[in-house]
Amino acid sequence: GVMEKLGLGPETLLRENPRLIYARLTGFGQTGKYAKSAGHDINYLALSGVLSMLGRKGENPYAPVNLLADFAGGGVMCAMGIVIALYERTKSGKGQVIDASMVKGVAYLSSFLWKSQNLGLWNRPRGENLLDSGAPFYETYKTSDGKFVAVGAIEHQFYEQLIKGLGLDSDQLPSQLSFSDWPKMKKKFASIFAQKTQAEWCNIFDGTDACVTPVLSFDDVASHQHNKERSSFIKNDQEEISPRPAPLLSRTPAVPSFERDPFIGEHTEEILLEYGFTKEEITQLYSDKVIEFCKTKANL
């Protein structure tokens, strides 16, 4: 109801411009019991059912920072809705309102979890399934130098290469999908990975299809050979590292800025002046607390 209070709700604006795409991004949605309640990623994740699936055996469910509900279920799904609406408008000539709820968005993202329950992938308690740290071949392991490697050898031919790299004989081991043996196999794998450094394991597994990769820290990720060859990270004029925009378009790739990130409100007046607002109108908007300013000070 915030936009309605400002006289800028979708009904008002769509009367002015029927081609308008009006996106409404919220946590709980426009309607429902929690519609007007405060919340954060962890709450939306909880209400979607997804949080109940995240976590190791015997531990509390955990939220993977605020990536799933806020950014994926919220921001990305909302952006996709805008693209879909824009495409539809090329046929109908009409705009529409997009109700992008983080709860519904992240629930829809989890469709795989719902649809694969009957396939045996998610029919066991949390932390005992194929992709949630239950399987010894889909797990992270600590190396002798205190770093980690990630193992994702699901397919049998990849699993065989993992076993070979670990110096084991598959004929002497239980079947890969013997659920009852998974805890014992995880301990065996952990003891072996703990005997070498991360770099030593990379020397063994790089160039194979064992699906073993180093768990890179933010300090190391930009200097890794693969990421350097892909130019996956950029450094701005303040020497700060950040990911390069993705996905990469062949004809119109994004052109990243190498300047520091702007402060909130730093360019408010400049942009509004470009759009034709007068200084008096801008001052009034600031007085009404509609906009915010942040003037940077020169370093003398």
Side-chain angles (χ1 to χ4, degrees):
V2 175
M3 297 302 284
E4 280 81 359
K5 290 176 183 177
L6 295 172
L8 298 172
E11 291 185 2
T12 301
L13 296 187
L14 282 166
R15 279 199 302 268
E16 293 291 328
N17 179 8
R19 291 175 53 83
L20 183 69
I21 307 297
Y22 194 112
R24 311 201 82 166
L25 176 57
T26 59
F28 293 115
Q30 296 295 319
T31 58
K33 179 179 179 179
Y34 292 164
K36 296 185 182 299
S37 300
H40 279 294
D41 179 281
I42 195 170
N43 307 115
Y44 313 138
L45 206 56
L47 204 62
S48 73
V50 177
L51 185 57
S52 71
M53 306 291 286
L54 305 179
R56 294 182 178 276
K57 181 180 179 180
E59 297 183 8
N60 294 351
Y62 74 91
V65 291
N66 65 327
L67 295 176
L68 269 185
D70 277 359
F71 298 146
V76 173
M77 294 296 280
C78 182
M80 186 172 74
I82 293 171
V83 172
I84 292 170
L86 287 168
Y87 178 73
E88 192 279 336
R89 190 175 69 179
T90 64
K91 298 182 177 181
S92 68
K94 298 178 181 179
Q96 55 187 310
V97 180
I98 299 163
D99 179 358
S101 153
M102 295 181 188
V103 173
K104 292 180 71 173
V106 74
Y108 184 62
L109 277 178
S110 73
S111 296
F112 163 70
L113 304 182
W114 292 90
K115 301 293 186 180
S116 61
Q117 290 180 93
N118 295 331
L119 300 178
L121 296 181
W122 298 99
N123 58 351
R124 301 168 67 85
R126 182 176 66 249
E128 298 183 25
N129 298 281
L130 181 68
L131 303 176
D132 64 357
S133 79
F137 49 85
Y138 202 88
E139 178 61 290
T140 57
Y141 292 99
K142 195 171 187 177
T143 56
S144 63
D145 53 347
K147 297 182 179 182
F148 296 87
V149 292
V151 177
I154 297 175
E155 292 81 358
H156 183 69
Q157 66 270 29
F158 301 157
Y159 181 73
E160 286 296 323
Q161 294 198 40
L162 168 66
I163 295 302
K164 180 181 178 182
L166 292 175
L168 298 171
D169 183 353
S170 59
D171 292 335
Q172 305 298 317
L173 300 174
S175 167
Q176 178 185 357
L177 296 180
S178 176
F179 299 117
S180 61
D181 289 302
W182 279 3
K184 178 178 65 177
M185 292 300 294
K186 285 182 70 171
K187 290 181 180 178
K188 180 183 285 288
F189 286 5
S191 67
I192 296 174
F193 275 113
Q195 295 172 16
K196 290 181 172 64
T197 66
Q198 185 190 74
E200 287 174 324
W201 286 118
C202 287
N203 287 334
I204 291 172
F205 286 113
D206 282 2
T208 75
D209 284 334
C211 301
V212 178
T213 50
V215 177
L216 300 174
S217 69
F218 272 25
D219 291 332
D220 299 332
V221 67
S223 60
H224 188 272
Q225 181 182 351
H226 178 81
N227 292 329
K228 286 174 66 176
E229 291 173 354
R230 294 277 299 162
S231 299
S232 299
F233 294 85
I234 57 177
K235 186 180 293 186
N236 67 12
D237 55 13
Q238 304 286 308
E239 296 296 301
E240 297 169 330
I241 295 173
S242 61
R244 183 178 292 275
L248 180 65
L249 304 185
S250 63
R251 188 170 50 80
T252 58
V255 180
S257 171
F258 294 98
E259 298 179 2
R260 65 160 175 78
D261 293 339
F263 301 116
I264 294 176
E266 182 178 348
H267 302 117
T268 301
E269 183 176 13
E270 177 185 343
I271 291 171
L272 290 176
L273 286 170
E274 287 180 6
Y275 272 87
F277 286 82
T278 65
K279 283 187 174 288
E280 291 75 18
E281 289 172 325
I282 295 172
T283 300
Q284 186 60 51
L285 288 171
Y286 179 74
S287 298
D288 294 339
K289 298 183 178 180
V290 175
I291 60 174
E292 188 174 341
F293 290 140
C294 178
K295 297 294 185 183
T296 58
K297 295 180 179 179
N299 294 321
L300 301 178

